[in-house]
Amino acid sequence: MASTTTRVLRLLSLLQDRSYTGRELAERLGVAERTLRQDIQRLRELGYPVHAERGAVGGYRLGQGAKMPPLLLDDDEAVAVALAVGLAEDGFTGIADIDASLTRALAKLQQILPKRLQRKVTALRSATAVGPATVGSREPDAPVPAATLTVVAGAIRDGATLFATRADTETETEVEPYRLISWRRRWFLVAYDLGAHVWRALPVADLIRVRSASRRFAARSLPDDDLVAFVLREVAQTGWKVHARVTVLAPAETVIARINPAVGIVEAVDSHTSVLVTGADALETIAIYLSMLMMDFRVDGPPELVAHIRTLARRYTEALDG
């Protein structure tokens, strides 16, 4: 029989998952129901609100108490919580007075994480930068498996090349990975493509397979001192399903001051005119961006966006005439 402490911790772990009958718990722990009741009482004395319900569908469950007792997390849960807290600490939360609490929580987690888990968390945190928060319509999420991020972060940490296979080509390409960028619930990998000899901002969700190579590489000069800015430029030019080029009847510095850097890139034409290159996963989103500019503009392309804005103009006009 396991020691009392080990058994009680195992009981707590079970109760954090779901409700159990007394017989189920006793069988799981390999003890008599009397011993189980004693262990339940030990948890209650430690501050864990274990509720008992009678009847055919009754049993034991962990409820809410007056104070926060310690939690038990398995390896995957511990890594997930540490990463989430760490990324929230690094990025924009939008909540006042939370930074100090995040720092304390992360310090407590890091203190008790086993070395093997600390290595995973540290690799991903050190390899990741967080892009700016944006206001308005949000593109659909592009979730990435945790295992993929772990492989990529490990390669960045070790300075090892990666073999990456994109879904659109199904061709394996060797790259030098430098940085992961988390932006708008999407992940991008800043990497040097050894086949094409160009820098890329690869959407990690588009990679159907990644594997670490054994070859180490010497770091190159980066394409930009600010890799988040590099990713935003690349995404604005090539990273969306729909791209648009818009002439704005305002100086470039005025447009730049008005838009979020995540919306697109601005090029000066003359002292009174500029060009905005932007993109999104839908024409409707670009139309929203343009309406938020509050400036006169002319859509240079694509034709589908021109047609969409004409439809919007007709609807607005008819709404006013009615």
Side-chain angles (χ1 to χ4, degrees):
M1 181 183 296
S3 68
T4 301
T5 301
T6 301
R7 192 177 64 245
V8 171
L9 288 175
R10 172 61 177 156
L11 172 59
L12 175 59
S13 179
L14 290 171
L15 290 173
Q16 287 179 166
D17 289 337
R18 62 177 179 85
S19 297
Y20 288 90
T21 66
R23 178 173 296 180
E24 287 176 325
L25 288 173
E27 290 177 352
R28 289 285 194 102
L29 299 172
V31 298
E33 293 194 30
R34 178 184 176 184
T35 302
L36 171 65
R37 289 191 293 271
Q38 293 172 342
D39 290 345
I40 293 288
Q41 184 58 34
R42 291 186 178 97
L43 286 178
R44 288 169 175 162
E45 291 171 355
L46 290 171
Y48 293 96
V50 182
H51 300 317
E53 297 180 355
R54 298 183 180 278
V57 294
Y60 294 99
R61 62 180 179 85
L62 196 60
Q64 294 178 324
K67 61 181 181 178
M68 178 70 182
L71 296 176
L72 286 182
L73 303 174
D74 62 25
D75 285 3
D76 290 341
E77 291 168 344
V79 170
V81 171
L83 286 176
V85 172
L87 291 175
E89 182 190 38
D90 293 339
F92 175 79
T93 63
I95 304 174
D97 304 324
I98 199 174
D99 289 348
S101 297
L102 288 171
T103 300
R104 291 197 305 271
L106 186 61
K108 291 177 181 179
L109 283 169
Q110 289 177 331
Q111 186 174 9
I112 62 174
L113 279 178
K115 291 292 185 183
R116 68 182 189 283
L117 301 185
Q118 282 184 354
R119 187 173 172 82
K120 285 185 179 182
V121 173
T122 301
L124 189 49
R125 284 202 67 203
S126 62
T128 301
V130 179
T134 55
V135 178
S137 178
R138 180 167 65 81
E139 303 297 334
D141 294 345
V144 175
T148 297
L149 293 176
T150 298
V151 171
V152 173
I156 293 173
R157 177 198 62 212
D158 298 337
T161 60
L162 272 176
F163 288 112
T165 305
R166 296 187 59 164
D168 55 352
T169 63
E170 296 190 2
T171 300
E172 189 174 66
T173 303
E174 188 176 12
V175 301
E176 296 174 354
Y178 285 84
R179 195 72 165 161
L180 280 165
I181 306 298
S182 174
W183 174 54
R184 295 176 71 177
R185 299 175 66 88
R186 294 171 176 238
W187 291 87
F188 298 88
L189 170 62
V190 178
Y192 186 80
D193 188 326
L194 292 172
H197 301 290
V198 294
W199 286 95
R200 298 194 186 280
L202 298 172
V204 182
D206 291 348
L207 303 180
I208 58 175
R209 184 168 53 256
V210 293
R211 60 186 183 93
S212 181
S214 58
R215 191 167 68 84
R216 300 294 191 269
F217 62 88
R220 301 173 185 269
S221 297
L222 297 175
D224 194 307
D225 291 337
D226 185 349
L227 291 182
V228 171
F230 169 76
V231 168
L232 298 185
R233 287 199 307 273
E234 290 294 301
V235 170
Q237 292 177 317
T238 64
W240 299 113
K241 293 180 180 178
V242 181
H243 294 88
R245 184 179 177 88
V246 180
T247 298
V248 184
L249 305 182
E253 58 269 21
T254 302
V255 180
I256 291 172
R258 180 76 179 113
I259 70 170
N260 189 294
V263 171
I265 58 174
V266 179
E267 303 168 352
V269 175
D270 54 40
S271 59
H272 303 290
T273 313
S274 57
V275 170
L276 169 64
V277 179
T278 186
D281 275 354
L283 291 173
E284 293 79 4
T285 304
I286 297 180
I288 292 172
Y289 287 159
L290 295 177
S291 68
M292 294 171 65
L293 274 177
M294 302 299 290
M295 301 175 189
D296 293 334
F297 62 88
R298 181 180 65 252
V299 178
D300 302 321
E304 294 83 0
L305 180 58
V306 175
H308 177 67
I309 292 179
R310 282 177 176 161
T311 299
L312 291 178
R314 176 184 58 79
R315 289 174 180 167
Y316 290 146
T317 301
E318 291 177 355
L320 293 175
D321 291 342

